[in-house]
Amino acid sequence: MPKTTLVFAALLITLGVVAFLASGSRTALLPVYPGLLLAILAGLALAFEGGRRHLMHVAAVVALLGALAPAATLGIRAAQMSPLALTVNIGMLVLCGGLLVLMVRSFIAARRAA
């Protein structure tokens, strides 16, 4: 799971950087922050086998929060957003939500295997 998390982290970082370059707005960088946290947690999980389970659970919490933030924003003011902001929020929601689903499935599979 740490390698998959690294891929999703890279996608979130790319989403934020591309949005920033397109708009020049610093708020477009918001997907970068959970992306960096996920990358750090995944890197630590790869480095420390003994703490992998705990680090991946923390990464799941980051993914959950990374999905809830744009979901709340979209629910409150989607009609007032620019097309770029709408795209970035939907992209962050899909990436973080997708990662969270994969993590939960992995946790369930690991629990059944133990």
Side-chain angles (χ1 to χ4, degrees):
M1 201 72 231
K3 291 179 183 176
T4 304
T5 304
L6 279 174
V7 171
F8 276 85
L11 291 172
L12 283 166
I13 292 167
T14 302
L15 174 67
V17 169
V18 168
F20 174 73
L21 294 174
S23 69
S25 172
R26 288 189 298 177
T27 57
L29 289 171
L30 287 177
V32 172
Y33 302 117
L36 287 174
L37 279 173
L38 289 170
I40 290 168
L41 290 166
L44 288 171
L46 287 171
F48 300 108
E49 181 72 32
R52 178 174 291 178
R53 187 176 95 188
H54 300 296
L55 290 163
M56 286 293 93
H57 279 85
V58 174
V61 171
V62 171
L64 173 64
L65 295 174
L68 288 176
T73 303
L74 288 168
I76 293 170
R77 57 184 186 100
Q80 301 145 349
M81 290 181 164
S82 70
L84 180 63
L86 190 62
T87 303
V88 169
N89 276 282
I90 290 171
M92 185 172 165
L93 175 61
V94 167
L95 288 172
C96 288
L99 177 61
L100 182 61
V101 167
L102 290 175
M103 288 179 146
V104 169
R105 290 178 64 189
S106 173
F107 296 158
I108 291 171
R111 184 68 175 163
R112 285 187 180 155

